[in-house]
Amino acid sequence: MNGKQIENAAKAAMGLAAGSDYFLDMLEKDLSLPNIPGRVMNNKKNWTTLAKYNGWELQQNMTTKHARIINSNNVRVAWGTVNGMEKAFDRMVKLSKKYDGNDLKSKSY
């Protein structure tokens, strides 16, 4: 994270503590946060699946409202705001379709 991102995260945390709208504004941003891939517990109580594609899932946490993308092995590959993760998931689906077996037959590399 750079200095501005750290400053914004601190403001968001202070806003959450103070009940400010700043935290809610942060949730509307298109953020993808630094990720260390790791196995997650697929807890259906706290997480709602927003989209699925070829074993990948876009999920939203019902308490914090942040989102994550997990693969078929329940490994988190990305996390951030819902808007940011929707964009990442859409890009992943688009690229997956672009490079699937059907498209490769018609292209020469």
Side-chain angles (χ1 to χ4, degrees):
M1 289 175 102
N2 66 33
K4 186 67 173 173
Q5 290 171 320
I6 292 170
E7 179 184 338
N8 287 340
K11 285 181 183 177
M14 288 186 296
L16 179 59
S20 167
D21 289 335
Y22 188 82
F23 180 73
L24 297 174
D25 291 341
M26 289 296 290
L27 291 176
E28 296 299 318
K29 304 285 185 198
D30 298 337
L31 297 177
S32 178
L33 301 169
N35 183 59
I36 298 173
R39 196 164 187 81
V40 298
M41 291 178 28
N42 203 356
N43 183 344
K44 297 292 183 187
K45 268 186 175 176
N46 294 328
W47 294 91
T48 297
T49 299
L50 304 176
K52 286 184 177 185
Y53 182 78
N54 282 349
W56 296 82
E57 292 187 43
L58 170 61
Q59 298 181 330
Q60 182 178 20
N61 185 289
M62 294 293 89
T63 304
T64 64
K65 304 300 182 200
H66 77 281
R68 68 184 181 186
I69 298 173
I70 60 172
N71 66 17
S72 58
N73 295 319
N74 286 332
V75 173
R76 183 187 67 204
V77 295
W79 72 285
T81 62
V82 172
N83 291 344
M85 291 300 95
E86 282 178 341
K87 284 186 175 186
F89 196 81
D90 289 346
R91 280 194 312 266
M92 182 195 68
V93 169
K94 183 179 178 182
L95 288 172
S96 180
K97 288 179 179 179
K98 180 179 178 180
Y99 294 110
D100 74 1
N102 296 329
D103 286 350
L104 292 177
K105 291 177 186 171
S106 62
K107 296 178 183 175
S108 58
Y109 291 94

